[in-house]
Amino acid sequence: MSRGLESPYVVSIAFDAADRRVIYATTVPAALYRSVDGGETWEPLASLPATDVARRPPHVVTHPTRAGHLFVIDAAGALQSSRDGGQSWQDLGPISTMALYRFEKVKGGVLVNGWAGRVYRSTDDGRTF
């Protein structure tokens, strides 16, 4: 189940909202991988935003209802969003105290369960918090 992963140190795993056979994983050293066959094989996504593993290992979460919508925090503490399965990224700005754990769809928006018990709310599907 690790064919294609260059590192044995997986930090986070997230499943795509539309197809549970599409899985994203981050590793140390910092890399983002995608599997389209339920984790049997993996391919690297070269466009992962730069992350400083010493400060913050990379974490990936997926939007709960939008296929291909991913979030990662970069080395500067900025939240990065990809709406195309990790092919390109948009900088959503600094959220330096946040670590991504879970992204939940709730009435009126989405919530991110962050580090130290903080919860962030977005009413525009993750464009702002």
Side-chain angles (χ1 to χ4, degrees), residues 1-5 23-25 33-35 39-44:
M1 298 212 30
S2 63
R3 281 193 317 239
L5 287 177
I23 306 169
Y24 300 92
Y33 292 88
R34 177 179 56 206
S35 173
E40 292 294 323
T41 60
W42 297 87
E43 63 179 324

Side-chain angles (χ1 to χ4, degrees), residues 28-117:
V28 173
L32 176 64
Y33 292 88
R34 177 179 56 206
S35 173
V36 295
D37 57 11
E40 292 294 323
T41 60
W42 297 87
E43 63 179 324
L45 296 175
S47 65
L48 175 68
T51 50
D52 181 352
V53 175
R55 282 186 35 213
R56 181 181 295 116
H59 284 267
V60 62
V61 296
T62 54
H63 192 284
T65 61
R66 296 190 188 275
H69 194 170
L70 316 173
F71 296 88
V72 170
I73 297 178
D74 69 15
L79 184 63
Q80 302 289 333
S81 172
S82 174
R83 293 176 181 268
D84 56 10
Q87 299 302 311
S88 64
W89 295 90
Q90 176 187 8
D91 185 344
L92 298 178
I95 306 181
S96 59
T97 61
M98 186 171 152
L100 296 175
Y101 293 114
R102 192 172 62 238
F103 210 81
E104 299 286 338
K105 185 77 174 175
V106 294
K107 185 176 180 179
V110 290
L111 296 177
V112 174
N113 180 10
W115 189 351

